[in-house]
Amino acid sequence: MIERKLTCIVCPLGCELAVTLEENRVLEVRGNTCKRGEAYAQNECTNPKRTVTSTVMCEDGGLVSVKTDEPIPKEKIFECMEIINATTARLPIKIGDVIIKNACGSNIVATQNRSK
Amino acid sequence: MRDLVIIGGGPAGMSAAIAARESGIQDILILERDGQLGGILQQCIHNGFGLHMFGEELTGPEYAWKYEKKVNELGIEYKLNTMVLDITEDKVITATNSNDGVFQIKAKAIILAMGCRERSKGALNIAGTRPAGIYSAGTAQKYVNTFGYLPGKNVVILGSGDIGLIMARRMTLEGSKVHAVCEIMSYSGGLARNIEQCLNDFNIPLRLEHTVVEIHGKDRLEGVTIAKVDQNRKPILDTREYIPCDTLLLSVGLIPENELSKNANIKLSNITNGAVVDQDRQTSVGGIFACGNVLHVHDLVDFVSKEAEIAGKAAAEYIKSGKKQSFVIPIKTDGKIRYTVPQIITEAKDVTVYFRVSDVYKNAKIIITDGDKAILSKSKAKLAPGEMEKIMLKTEQIKNVKELHFSLEV
Ligand SMILES: Cc1cc2nc3c(=O)[nH]c(=O)nc-3n(C[C@H](O)[C@H](O)[C@H](O)COP(=O)(O)OP(=O)(O)OC[C@H]3O[C@@H](n4cnc5c(N)ncnc54)[C@H](O)[C@@H]3O)c2cc1C
Ligand code: SF4
């Protein structure tokens, strides 16, 4: 059995979590204020994921801010950034529009409106 | 004559406008210096906004859009690219834009929502040269997220406030190497979640009790010397360490933008650098209200929106009834509690008092008294300067009180 200390990143409270692990199986989570903290610890110890936010270049040379619709595996963050940086988006763009389909397991969607 | 003029179209200004309209004020005008509504949120493209207000994690622009949509639905009037130059005690606003030139508006009530700017001057009290490559973290954020321009490849960040942490991750994602985040204090001023997801995720070292002591380079920054500091925050010379870099970001805090408030003779607090306000966020000048980062620096936009609702509703009441403050209960603090907002109470009603502490305290007790009389106490496992706290006072607890004293027992 091993103990792992984590900081929950689900909300700004940032609870300090203590996780008891056995062979990558989570036995117990302590220090969480709410249930989401427990779920976070589960995922973080087995398959850590992150939401990636960035910008995509638009056809007029301006930028539009984007995010992964779903959190993606942590080790794919830089792969995802490469896909984002190799893309040019058509205008106009509405918030929520899918800019890139399936990048590292998630769609990349616009988080800003951009007119032509 | 306009009923209500709001200065600043960030989250505070928009939320105040919506609350005032929903309280029955038809004649509202927002004046915004920028080309779009949303304020600083438009460059905060990371997620982490709106958990309190919407129960979901939004990016800055998405959070702003929720309010902008509402402003449009309610048909609230706003002028973009319009800079307010002056306001007076009798509520005359002077502003300018390229269509109208310089113009004046008299208002029945004004809400100040101009946000804050970054501290920079004091931080540059560092030996050495002043080459290109030194930016405030917020300026760098604007370059990267709005203009798509990466300030440099090898970065050192001074100060571990949230903006610095967010930029450490942002520049790493865009291909820069962040060599260190130096923090002079023994703890970070940023949120624990940002240390985790912005630094630890990318193995960026957080050097606590470290500062930049010298800047090197002629035209372009070539490196910085950092050093550990002692208890008095004085650098320890034999811990000096040279780090080659082409970019230094300063993330050393924000300061409310109150030049306009001074013109209107509004009483300012020398602790928050914002106005002294009552529970309605009314300043010392009747009919002028303040909310958001212009009042005191918030780390969570959700609290900004909530505070602005209070100001918007109260401004609507003021316009309708011309309500005056009838009595004043001052709120005093003991220094461990650095400040409260509001600083005074002028009406017996339920009031949520927000406050910040001046150091990290564990297992502390917040004690509120009126002279010898205990009003309320609350235990807290942990308090930190970076996190705003709040405590609710009930009408019965405020009634017949002369003065409220907030202190911390540690
Ligand atoms: C880099 C950064 C990262 C942040 N990260 C988070 C986060 O992860 N989660 C979170 O919840 N919060 C975060 N915040 C905090 C949150 O964004 C702010 O607290 C909030 O935006 C403040 O809103 P505001 O309306 O008071 O000010 P602002 O957003 O600054 O808006 C003020 C507006 O007033 C306008 N203005 C100023 N002066 C004038 C004038 N003279 N005439 C006309 N207009 C004027 C400005 O142009 C601006 O649009 C962050 C803040 C920053 C700076
Ligand atoms: S455990 Fe719950 S309250 Fe604590 S940080 Fe995680 S989500 Fe927030």
Side-chain angles (χ1 to χ4, degrees):
Chain A
M1 272 200 309
I2 52 163
E3 281 278 307
R4 215 181 130 183
K5 292 231 177 298
L6 295 174
T7 304
C8 180
I9 62 167
V10 178
C11 90
L13 217 59
C15 297
E16 284 170 33
L17 310 178
V19 190
T20 312
L21 286 160
E22 194 175 71
E23 316 226 323
N24 285 337
R25 231 164 33 90
V26 176
L27 297 182
E28 198 197 356
V29 181
R30 277 161 287 125
N32 53 312
T33 305
C34 75
K35 279 210 179 106
R36 288 178 300 171
E38 197 177 323
Y40 171 77
Q42 277 282 356
N43 291 331
E44 191 66 9
C45 293
T46 48
N47 180 16
K49 289 187 169 178
R50 295 289 183 268
T51 296
V52 176
T53 60
S54 189
T55 51
V56 168
M57 174 85 83
C58 302
E59 56 186 348
D60 67 349
L63 299 178
V64 63
S65 61
V66 297
K67 66 173 182 185
T68 55
D69 207 10
E70 307 273 338
I72 61 163
K74 202 168 145 183
E75 73 276 5
K76 297 223 164 135
I77 292 176
F78 284 97
E79 194 183 314
C80 184
M81 280 302 297
E82 275 178 31
I83 299 171
I84 287 173
N85 283 341
T87 305
T88 306
R90 292 252 192 82
L91 294 172
I93 295 167
K94 280 210 305 292
I95 232 171
D97 282 358
V98 175
I99 304 292
I100 306 168
K101 279 216 179 99
N102 194 5
C104 305
S106 164
N107 287 335
I108 308 288
V109 299
T111 57
Q112 259 169 350
N113 298 304
R114 280 280 170 263
S115 51
K116 259 202 172 168
Chain B
M1 178 80 124
R2 309 279 310 221
D3 276 351
L4 177 59
V5 175
I6 297 172
I7 304 172
M14 289 194 287
S15 170
I18 292 164
R21 170 60 56 86
E22 286 175 344
S23 306
I25 303 300
Q26 287 308 313
D27 181 24
I28 302 174
L29 175 64
I30 304 175
L31 300 175
E32 169 57 51
R33 171 174 71 183
D34 230 352
Q36 58 183 345
L37 293 174
I40 199 83
L41 290 177
Q42 296 292 1
Q43 70 180 61
C44 298
I45 63 163
H46 59 280
N47 60 337
F49 300 82
L51 265 169
H52 290 275
M53 294 302 277
F54 303 107
E56 56 178 322
E57 261 216 323
L58 303 168
T59 63
E62 289 173 308
Y63 187 94
W65 176 237
K66 293 222 179 232
Y67 285 86
E68 193 180 333
K69 231 171 28 192
K70 195 93 187 261
V71 164
N72 288 328
E73 275 163 22
L74 293 172
I76 295 170
E77 191 186 339
Y78 53 86
K79 280 183 193 287
L80 300 175
N81 300 309
T82 303
M83 169 99 175
V84 174
L85 304 170
D86 185 44
I87 49 177
T88 65
E89 225 169 326
D90 36 331
K91 299 189 271 289
V92 176
I93 297 151
T94 308
T96 178
N97 65 32
S98 52
N99 280 335
D100 309 318
V102 175
F103 58 98
Q104 286 195 326
I105 308 170
K106 178 144 174 65
K108 286 184 189 152
I110 296 176
I111 298 178
L112 307 173
M114 291 94 76
C116 58
R117 60 187 156 76
E118 282 177 289
R119 264 181 225 275
S120 58
K121 260 200 252 134
L124 267 185
N125 205 352
I126 307 170
T129 51
R130 290 290 173 272
I134 305 172
Y135 306 86
S136 73
T139 305
Q141 186 179 47
K142 185 151 195 156
Y143 281 161
V144 178
N145 294 345
T146 312
F147 306 128
Y149 164 76
L150 194 63
K153 280 279 172 201
N154 288 288
V155 186
V156 170
I157 298 177
L158 176 59
S160 65
D162 285 311
I163 313 178
L165 301 178
I166 296 283
M167 281 314 290
R169 174 177 64 184
R170 185 71 188 115
M171 291 193 69
T172 304
L173 286 179
E174 292 296 352
S176 304
K177 173 138 185 73
V178 179
H179 296 272
V181 175
C182 294
E183 169 59 59
I184 197 162
M185 305 298 280
S186 57
Y187 54 86
S188 163
L191 295 172
R193 70 191 308 229
N194 285 338
I195 306 259
E196 186 66 21
Q197 62 186 352
C198 298
L199 300 188
N200 297 348
D201 272 5
F202 302 96
N203 299 314
I204 298 167
L206 173 61
R207 308 286 297 267
L208 294 173
E209 296 178 313
H210 274 76
T211 191
V212 171
V213 291
E214 198 174 342
I215 292 170
H216 309 268
K218 262 212 235 83
D219 300 327
R220 176 78 200 194
L221 183 66
E222 282 164 15
V224 296
T225 303
I226 70 168
K228 196 171 163 41
V229 297
D230 62 18
Q231 292 106 319
N232 303 319
R233 290 189 229 160
K234 290 269 171 302
I236 306 167
L237 283 182
D238 56 9
T239 64
R240 288 160 63 100
E241 186 183 324
Y242 179 76
I243 306 179
C245 61
D246 56 18
T247 305
L248 174 66
L249 298 190
L250 306 171
S251 173
V252 288
L254 301 162
I255 184 162
E257 182 141 342
N258 270 300
E259 271 58 46
L260 292 177
S261 317
K262 283 180 202 148
N263 296 355
N265 281 327
I266 289 168
K267 191 172 160 204
L268 298 181
S269 151
N270 53 15
I271 304 177
T272 59
N273 291 302
V276 171
V277 292
D278 68 6
Q279 72 290 335
D280 292 334
R281 306 302 184 266
Q282 180 160 212
T283 68
S284 61
V285 177
I288 302 187
F289 298 77
C291 56
N293 277 354
V294 77
L295 182 55
H296 58 133
V297 173
H298 297 65
D299 0 70
L300 287 181
V301 70
D302 306 67
F303 289 160
V304 169
S305 301
K306 280 215 182 97
E307 179 169 270
E309 268 171 34
I310 297 174
K313 271 191 202 132
E317 281 308 307
Y318 178 89
I319 292 163
K320 285 190 271 186
S321 69
K323 192 169 71 174
K324 294 244 159 51
Q325 299 177 345
S326 49
F327 59 85
V328 173
I329 305 170
I331 303 181
K332 300 265 167 71
T333 55
D334 69 341
K336 290 196 196 85
I337 294 190
R338 203 160 70 87
Y339 73 81
T340 65
V341 167
Q343 292 95 341
I344 58 173
I345 292 178
T346 59
E347 197 184 332
K349 64 178 179 188
D350 292 358
V351 174
T352 302
V353 178
Y354 291 85
F355 63 92
R356 275 185 200 275
V357 295
S358 52
D359 205 342
V360 175
Y361 300 105
K362 293 214 161 128
N363 301 317
K365 198 160 155 196
I366 302 148
I367 298 170
I368 305 169
T369 53
D370 172 22
D372 299 333
K373 205 171 101 211
I375 307 276
L376 186 69
S377 71
K378 194 176 166 190
S379 296
K380 272 279 189 179
K382 192 182 167 207
L383 293 159
E387 270 148 71
M388 195 154 66
E389 300 286 336
K390 59 178 176 181
I391 204 158
M392 160 100 149
L393 294 173
K394 291 275 190 200
T395 314
E396 312 84 76
Q397 289 167 321
I398 298 171
K399 245 193 237 159
N400 306 322
V401 162
K402 282 199 193 60
E403 175 183 303
L404 288 168
H405 192 263
F406 275 56
S407 60
L408 209 60
E409 193 181 273
V410 284

